[in-house]
């Protein structure tokens, strides 16, 4: 494979940009057309979402991972190098978007001409706006028969203050007007501010693991140059490596002689350990240290779930699979955890439910691991009032991830639960239903704004645990799929939280304890008891399944005992004879219940703790 010479692209002729949009507004399709026009991939009918390389992305038809590609384009006689990053649209992956924007100087904001502005469009616009990037609005899907680009242009002008004449109308599927986007990119987006003469300074914005070559780090160069044979040092680990290969991604890896300031590419430098290429790390030349780049804010996990190997002998394999996958998806946080029922495992923090599902699917597909995921929970906080506990923890505020660590009400001045600020964009005919849904979820309305005559933007403050499991599904089914939802972290607020225990014959079962809001405890307790009744095998004695808050029982189900028909031998005869036999049996059952203890089989736990998918 011939190596490219990258020195012909000085900093002035480099443009770095991302494509951002709401889910399904055509980001990846637009990226395909841009790749075709610049000759990076050949024009065939098979180019459908070329940049979505993962199997998960192919199956679900969504982008999960931001992918970068370098394009060469000749405009008015000058050769330009355009580095494009295609980003995901779901709110669960907004961390990928904010990371990609750090390597860019401008963005293409894609809006669907049919759907108009949706919640994620607004969120991504503000991410780019706060990063002070130049924004090129593109209205996509004008070939659809219901497309209404004029309406969308007015929405963009009203919400984002971008004049209507700046919008480019394209159809990414048919390739209409896409050339114009490239010309706009070159005219409007500034080149990166850096110099080849400076010492090397490279930001690692993504990394993957290859069995044969170790860690492949995707880097954006903010100064200097790098080539094979250079000695580089990581600012994070202070370890020294020798560069084996550098190159650019034209989506596939293309080795080059050198990489220069302002360019985006990959570096392979014999990093064998998965933990070595930290995302957000700065690389520099040995003996030429530089001020490390600010890196990224670490992602804030919103949803926690326990992950356990389906079989304990798989623990070590799962551990290495997790390490490799978290290298590629750095927004997952991992803590060791163990449960009496499920053995040793981890507590993983995800950015949302879709993120959790995709992570699980990638473990299965890419690493062949089958795991047990417990029901998702959110992190609560407690402000302690007892001096003894404050001394023990060393601070007066603790975070509770596991219900087992929930402190007693007497030693706490108040409990806090995480909240999020949700934005819902919906056609106005569904407002009534949506407001009712939000009130059921204990949400507080903050704002309501008409974008145009038939689109409304609602802002609500939600408790996170109310929206984490099925809010999105409920919203979609109420609004026939038209409403879109996006949320951002809004800190903690005080809440009336309690710990609900599950008792079997009066003995608490530790793994089934949950933290829940007082108003919702009764319904949740009843549901859990019913589910347990179906999954626990019957015994020779009666089992009482109870949900309790402190000493107060709030729900109960009774699992009947197996019993022998002791009166089968009585034909007629006196009733007292019958009563005597039944009484004797009842005595025996009562004795048995005293000494018998209920073993909950592992698969019953799994069935109860797993997320309910059939609700």
């Amino acid at each position: 494979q011939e190596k490219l010479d990258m020195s012909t692209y000085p900093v002035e002729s480099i443009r770095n940009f991302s494509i951002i949009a709401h889910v399904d507004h055509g980001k990846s399709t637009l990226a395909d057309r841009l790749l075709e026009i610049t000759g990076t991939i050949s024009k065939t009918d098979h180019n459908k979402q070329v940049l979505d390389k993962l199997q998960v992305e192919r199956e679900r038809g969504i982008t999960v991972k931001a992918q970068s590609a370098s394009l060469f384009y000749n405009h008015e006689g000058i050769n330009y190098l355009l580095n494009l990053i295609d980003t995901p649209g779901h709110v669960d992956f907004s961390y990928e978007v904010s990371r990609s924007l750090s390597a860019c100087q401008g963005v293409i904001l894609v809006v669907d001409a049919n759907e108009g502005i949706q919640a994620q469009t607004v969120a991504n616009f503000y991410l780019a706006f706060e990063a002070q990037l130049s924004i090129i609005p593109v209205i996509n899907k004008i070939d659809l028969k219901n497309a209404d680009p004029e309406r969308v242009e007015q929405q963009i002008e009203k919400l984002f203050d971008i004049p209507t004449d700046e919008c480019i109308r394209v159809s990414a599927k048919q390739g209409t007007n896409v050339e114009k986007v490239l010309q706009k990119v070159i005219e409007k987006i500034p080149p990166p501010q850096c110099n080849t003469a400076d010492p090397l300074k490279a930001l690692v914005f993504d990394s993957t693991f290859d069995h044969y070559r170790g860690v492949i780090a995707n880097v954006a160069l903010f100064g200097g140059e790098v080539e094979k044979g250079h000695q580089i040092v990581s600012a994070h680990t202070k370890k020294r490596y020798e560069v084996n290969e550098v190159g650019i991604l034209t989506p596939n890896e293309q080795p080059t002689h050198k990489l220069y300031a302002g360019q985006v590419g990959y570096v392979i430098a014999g990093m064998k350990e998965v933990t070595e290429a930290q995302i957000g790390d700065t690389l520099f030349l040995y003996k030429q240290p530089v001020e490390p780049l600010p890196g990224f804010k670490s992602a804030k996990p919103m949803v926690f779930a326990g992950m356990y190997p389906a079989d304990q002998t798989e623990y070590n394999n799962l551990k290495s699979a997790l390490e490799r996958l978290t290298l590629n998806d750095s927004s997952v946080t991992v803590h060791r955890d163990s449960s009496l029922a499920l053995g040793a495992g981890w507590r993983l923090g995800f950015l949302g439910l879709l993120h959790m599902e995709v992570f699980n699917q990638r473990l299965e597909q890419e690493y062949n691991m089958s795991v047990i995921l417990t029901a998702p929970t959110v992190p609560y906080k407690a402000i302690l009032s007892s001096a003894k506990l404050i001394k023990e923890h060393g601070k007066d505020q603790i975070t509770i991830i596991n219900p087992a660590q929930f402190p007693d009400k007497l030693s706490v001045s108040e409990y806090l639960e995480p909240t999020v600020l949700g934005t819902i964009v919906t056609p106005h005919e569904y407002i009534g239903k949506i407001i009712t849904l939000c009130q059921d979820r204990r949400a507080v309305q903050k704002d309501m704004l008409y974008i145009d005559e038939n689109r409304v933007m609602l802002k609500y403050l939600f408790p996170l645990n109310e929206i984490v499991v099925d809010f999105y599904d409920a919203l979609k089914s109420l609004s026939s799929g038209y409403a879109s939802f996006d949320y951002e972290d809004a800190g903690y607020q005080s809440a009336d939280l309690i710990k609900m225990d599950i008792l079997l014959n009066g003995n608490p079962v530790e793994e089934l304890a949950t933290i829940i809001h007082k108003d919702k405890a009764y319904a949740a307790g009843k549901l859990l008891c019913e589910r347990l009744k179906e999954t626990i095998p019957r015994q020779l004695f009666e089992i009482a399944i109870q949900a309790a808050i402190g000493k107060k029982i709030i729900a109960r189900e009774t699992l009947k005992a197996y019993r022998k028909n002791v009166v089968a031998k009585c034909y007629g005869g006196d009733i007292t004879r019958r009563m005597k036999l039944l009484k004797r049996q009842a005595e025996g059952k009562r004795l048995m219940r005293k000494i018998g203890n209920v073993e909950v089989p592992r698969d019953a736990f799994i069935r109860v703790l797993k997320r309910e998918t059939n609700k």
Side-chain angles (χ1 to χ4, degrees), residues 276-291:
E276 289 176 44
Q278 285 294 328
I279 291 185
D281 194 2
T282 307
L283 304 175
F284 54 84
L285 288 179
Y286 182 55
K287 297 262 175 67
Q288 291 183 353
V290 292
E291 183 69 29

Side-chain angles (χ1 to χ4, degrees), residues 216-477:
I216 301 172
N218 290 13
V219 294
L221 268 69
F222 284 91
E225 50 184 57
V226 62
E227 62 179 316
K228 186 177 171 174
H230 272 176
Q231 298 281 334
I232 57 168
V233 181
S234 144
H236 179 72
T237 58
K238 304 283 183 285
K239 286 191 179 171
R240 193 170 109 197
Y241 307 99
E242 183 175 336
V243 179
N244 301 336
E245 185 183 320
V246 297
I248 56 170
L249 296 153
T250 57
N252 305 321
E253 289 156 12
Q254 168 79 33
T256 62
H257 291 294
K258 284 188 181 185
L259 280 180
Y260 297 92
Q263 296 175 357
V264 174
Y266 68 93
V267 171
I268 301 176
M271 298 183 181
K272 285 286 173 279
E273 282 302 309
V274 177
T275 48
E276 289 176 44
Q278 285 294 328
I279 291 185
D281 194 2
T282 307
L283 304 175
F284 54 84
L285 288 179
Y286 182 55
K287 297 262 175 67
Q288 291 183 353
V290 292
E291 183 69 29
L293 294 155
F296 307 111
K297 300 202 299 283
S298 58
K300 222 176 163 175
M302 291 285 200
V303 182
F304 286 88
M307 180 178 273
Y308 301 93
D311 179 4
Q312 275 299 315
T313 52
E314 291 285 299
Y315 182 83
N316 286 337
N317 299 349
L318 181 57
K319 187 175 170 201
S320 69
L322 265 182
E323 280 175 356
R324 284 181 198 156
L325 192 46
T326 44
L327 167 78
N328 193 254
D329 184 352
S330 67
S331 46
V332 180
T333 57
V334 183
H335 298 289
R336 290 279 302 276
D337 189 22
S338 68
S339 136
L340 294 176
L342 305 174
W346 295 268
R347 193 121 200 120
L348 303 185
F350 300 101
L351 301 184
L353 272 194
L354 177 72
H355 187 196
M356 177 170 119
E357 282 175 17
V358 165
F359 189 84
N360 193 13
Q361 203 174 335
R362 285 184 68 183
L363 266 181
E364 280 175 15
Q365 288 171 351
E366 295 170 33
Y367 299 98
N368 252 338
M369 285 284 142
S370 64
V371 294
I372 299 160
L373 266 182
T374 64
T377 57
V378 300
Y380 298 103
K381 284 187 177 171
I383 294 176
L384 305 173
S385 59
S386 90
K388 184 179 166 210
L389 275 179
I390 293 177
K391 192 173 174 190
E392 196 180 303
H393 290 285
K395 52 186 186 292
D396 65 344
Q397 195 176 2
I398 56 168
T399 304
I400 312 155
I401 296 177
N402 205 336
Q405 301 146 356
F406 193 71
D408 195 50
K409 190 139 193 174
L410 301 172
S411 52
V412 171
S413 58
E414 66 171 340
Y415 295 115
L416 305 173
E417 66 176 349
T419 57
V420 290
L421 185 65
T423 310
I424 299 171
V425 177
T426 167
H428 67 97
E429 59 262 31
Y430 302 113
I431 287 184
K433 290 179 182 172
I434 288 176
I435 290 179
T436 322
L437 171 73
C438 293
Q439 281 164 350
D440 288 349
R441 302 298 176 112
R442 307 192 293 150
V444 182
Q445 188 170 349
K446 289 285 180 215
D447 187 19
M448 181 166 166
L449 170 81
Y450 273 82
I451 301 177
D452 57 18
E453 45 281 4
N454 47 17
R455 284 245 154 186
V456 190
M457 185 156 96
L458 303 162
K459 288 209 176 213
Y460 272 92
L461 197 62
F462 288 97
L464 179 59
N465 63 347
E466 292 292 333
I467 61 168
V468 78
V469 177
D470 55 357
F471 177 77
Y472 192 64
D473 303 340
L475 180 73
K476 283 287 187 205
S477 57

